[in-house]
Amino acid sequence: MVQRTYYLDKLIKLKDLDFIKILTGMRRVGKSTILLQYIEMIKKITNPNNILYINFDDKENLHIKNNKILGEIIDKKIKNKKGKIYLFLDEIQNVENFSELILGYYQNKTIDIYIAGSNSKLLSSQIYSRFTGREIQINILPFSFKEYVEYFKNISDKKLLFSEYRKNGCLPSLYQLGDDSLKESSITYIIQTILLKDIMPYFKIKNIPLLNKILAYAFENIGSEFSSENIKKSLAKDSSLNIASKTIDLYLSYLCDAFLIYKVNRFDLRGMKVLKTLYTCYATDILMRNVYINKDESYNHGKQLENIVFFELKRRFNKINVGFVSIVEDGKRVNYQIDFFCQNKMEKVYFQVCEDISDFSVLHREIKILKKINNGQKILLNNSNINKEIDEIKIMDVKKWLLEQ
C-alpha cells in the first residue's frame, strides 16, 4: 500500500491544533485510506484506546442517520476516557444535522476532530457557515503519477508506466481489477453511487437523465472552453431539449460539489482579473471519463494529457486559471490562450501542454503563445521526451516533470 505522504504530512502538522480537520474529495480517491494510515501513525505516539473511527458507509453504521444517534454512540465510547481523544468521522454527510454535534465536541478541547465527506456543498452549508475560522480543509485528489509509480515500483520503465497510468486512471481501488469489464462495472457503480448518494438526496434532483447528459457533455469536452449556453445548444440539437441556462449551471455546480469534475475559470492576463464568461472543466479520473462516454485512452489524447497536468498543478499551486490575453497584431485583435496560469503567493508560472512537439511547426506554435507573456516562468510540457530551453521557455518531458517533486 502506498503511503500518501503528501496528505499525511499535512495531517501530522495539524495534529492537536485547535481546528476541525476536513478531508474532501470524490468517492474512492482514498480519503478513508488516508485517515486509516494517519490513525496507524498516531497510534505509535498516543493511546490507541482514545482513537474513535466511524465510517458511515459501513454496513454496521448505516443506522446512524442523525446527530442524536451519533451523539449517543460517541458519548458511550469516550465515556471515562482520559487524555486526548481523536475522533474520526468518515462520509459524515450521511448524518443529518451533524454540524451541531461537531460544534459541541469542538468546544471540548480534549477532542481532536477529523471529518471526511464527498459533497463540498453539503459540508460548506453545514460546517463552514458555522465554523468560520475553526476549520481547515484538505482536498484529496486521486493518485498522482508519482504515487502510481510507487504503487507499481517493481516496474522500472517510466514510459510504460505512464502509458498504463493514462489507461488505468487514478483510482487505486481499481488497480487490482485486471479485467477491463470489471473496471468498467466498478466505475459505473461508483458514478451511480455519487449521483444517488452525494447529489440526489441533498439537491432534490428529479431530472436524473438531464444530470447524466450534462455530465457526459463535461466529460466529452474536458480542457475545452464552454458555457451553459454551449450545453443548452448541444442538448437542443441532440435531444430537442430546451433547458434553461440557469438549470444547467445549477446541475454543473452539483457535479463539481460531488468532485466528479473541477471547473477552471479564464483569467485576463492583461487586466489581471477572472473573466465571468466561459470556463474549462476537467474530469477527476480519466478512466472514469472514458468509460462514461464510451471512449478509450486514445480518444482526444492531448486533452487527456492536459487533464493529468491540471491535477498535478492542483497539488502544487494555490491558484490555477486558464490564461487569456487579447493582443492587437498587424491592426487586428488576436486572442491567445495559455493552458494554465498558476500562482503561489508572488510566484507566477505559465504552462502550455502539448502531446507531441517533435514537429517543428507545432513546437513553434506553442512557443509563440508563451512568448506573448512578459512576466513569470514559462514551461512547455510535452510527451515527446524533449527537454531543453528556448528563449527562456523551459521545455520538459511531462513524465520527468510529474516525478520531479
Side-chain angles (χ1 to χ4, degrees), residues 110-370:
T110 65
I111 302 179
D112 195 12
I113 303 172
Y114 301 79
I115 63 178
S118 304
N119 187 308
S120 66
K121 184 65 174 292
L122 181 69
L123 292 173
S124 64
S125 63
Q126 288 222 38
I127 292 180
Y128 306 142
S129 58
R130 291 174 179 264
F131 301 161
T132 304
R134 303 171 186 172
E135 82 291 328
I136 291 181
Q137 180 181 168
I138 301 174
N139 183 214
I140 307 300
L141 300 175
F143 256 30
S144 65
F145 179 53
K146 191 172 185 178
E147 289 172 318
Y148 188 85
V149 169
E150 185 179 350
Y151 187 95
F152 293 99
K153 56 187 175 183
N154 58 315
I155 302 175
S156 59
D157 188 339
K158 300 300 188 294
K159 186 175 181 180
L160 171 63
L161 283 171
F162 188 61
S163 177
E164 291 296 305
Y165 179 66
R166 298 179 76 159
K167 178 182 178 181
N168 294 329
C170 315
L171 303 182
S173 61
L174 302 181
Y175 296 159
Q176 298 177 28
L177 302 176
D179 188 275
D180 287 345
S181 63
L182 289 176
K183 291 179 182 178
E184 291 179 9
S185 297
S186 182
I187 283 175
T188 301
Y189 174 78
I190 292 170
I191 293 177
Q192 292 308 309
T193 300
I194 292 171
L195 297 181
L196 296 175
K197 296 188 72 171
D198 297 334
I199 297 180
M200 279 184 59
Y202 308 113
F203 302 120
K204 312 301 180 186
I205 291 179
K206 297 180 180 179
N207 196 341
I208 293 300
L210 175 61
L211 185 67
N212 278 281
K213 288 180 181 295
I214 292 174
L215 177 59
Y217 185 95
F219 277 174
E220 179 82 31
N221 293 279
I222 56 169
S224 300
E225 289 185 342
F226 64 90
S227 67
S228 57
E229 283 298 315
N230 298 141
I231 301 175
K232 180 179 179 178
K233 291 177 182 178
S234 177
L235 292 175
K237 180 180 179 181
D238 296 339
S239 311
S240 300
L241 292 174
N242 185 18
I243 308 298
S245 298
K246 184 177 180 180
T247 300
I248 293 172
D249 281 332
L250 203 58
Y251 277 38
L252 273 171
S253 72
Y254 298 158
L255 296 170
C256 291
D257 290 335
F259 304 102
L260 275 165
I261 58 175
Y262 281 74
K263 185 176 173 182
V264 187
N265 291 318
R266 292 201 309 165
F267 191 89
D268 181 355
L269 298 173
R270 288 296 176 96
M272 296 305 290
K273 62 181 180 180
V274 174
L275 298 172
K276 296 181 179 179
T277 58
L278 299 178
Y279 44 83
T280 302
C281 286
Y282 293 98
T284 301
D285 178 65
I286 283 294
L287 179 60
M288 178 179 287
R289 175 255 189 182
N290 291 340
V291 168
Y292 195 75
I293 61 174
N294 196 28
K295 304 290 184 180
D296 62 27
E297 69 275 10
S298 66
Y299 175 71
N300 212 342
H301 225 203
K303 291 300 182 182
Q304 292 194 45
L305 181 64
E306 194 176 305
N307 202 106
I308 291 171
V309 169
F310 167 73
F311 280 96
E312 185 60 33
L313 293 174
K314 285 283 290 181
R315 298 178 182 95
R316 302 187 188 187
F317 290 90
N318 295 323
K319 295 181 181 179
I320 306 171
N321 294 106
V322 174
F324 172 83
V325 60
S326 183
I327 301 172
V328 175
E329 295 181 346
D330 300 326
K332 296 181 180 180
R333 182 161 294 280
V334 181
N335 296 328
Y336 289 97
Q337 178 174 302
I338 305 295
D339 289 333
F340 300 109
F341 168 52
C342 305
Q343 299 177 82
N344 269 342
K345 296 181 179 179
M346 300 303 293
E347 181 185 20
K348 296 178 182 177
V349 188
Y350 303 85
F351 290 89
Q352 281 294 99
V353 183
C354 188
E355 177 73 28
D356 186 359
I357 58 170
S358 55
D359 187 306
F360 178 77
S361 63
V362 176
L363 174 61
H364 176 73
R365 180 194 69 205
E366 299 298 327
I367 289 176
K368 179 183 177 182
I369 296 172
L370 286 171

